[in-house]
Amino acid sequence: PEIAAFAASPDGRLVAYELTWGTPADNRIRVFDTKTNQHLGDIIDHAHLTPTAWLADNTSLVYNRVTPQILGVPFFHAWL
């Protein structure tokens, strides 16, 4: 896999990064805590290749996610 995108929280403690295997259906977002040098437990699958963004509270992450196709058209959600 390759890192497709990444974003640090405003305080620099958390870094979200998106791994890609070539298609959004296979992409995943992970969050790394730079203070503890550990990944947080969640893995966000089906991430879409767009920049990830943090809100000013340093804990809320905004990202896009691909859901199964509806009537043959890819359907995208923005998650917070």
Side-chain angles (χ1 to χ4, degrees), residues 14-74:
L14 300 175
V15 177
Y17 63 94
E18 182 179 342
L19 295 174
T20 183
W21 282 263
T23 64
D26 297 325
N27 292 1
R28 295 179 183 96
I29 294 174
R30 300 283 316 259
V31 177
F32 185 77
D33 187 324
T34 62
K35 185 174 181 180
T36 65
N37 289 325
Q38 299 289 321
H39 283 98
L40 301 186
D42 293 331
I43 298 174
I44 302 164
D45 60 354
H46 307 293
H48 183 56
L49 295 172
T50 57
T52 309
W54 291 91
L55 298 183
D57 67 2
N58 295 300
T59 63
S60 300
L61 181 65
V62 179
Y63 58 92
N64 286 328
R65 190 169 186 213
V66 178
T67 57
Q69 291 186 353
I70 299 173
L71 301 176
V73 178

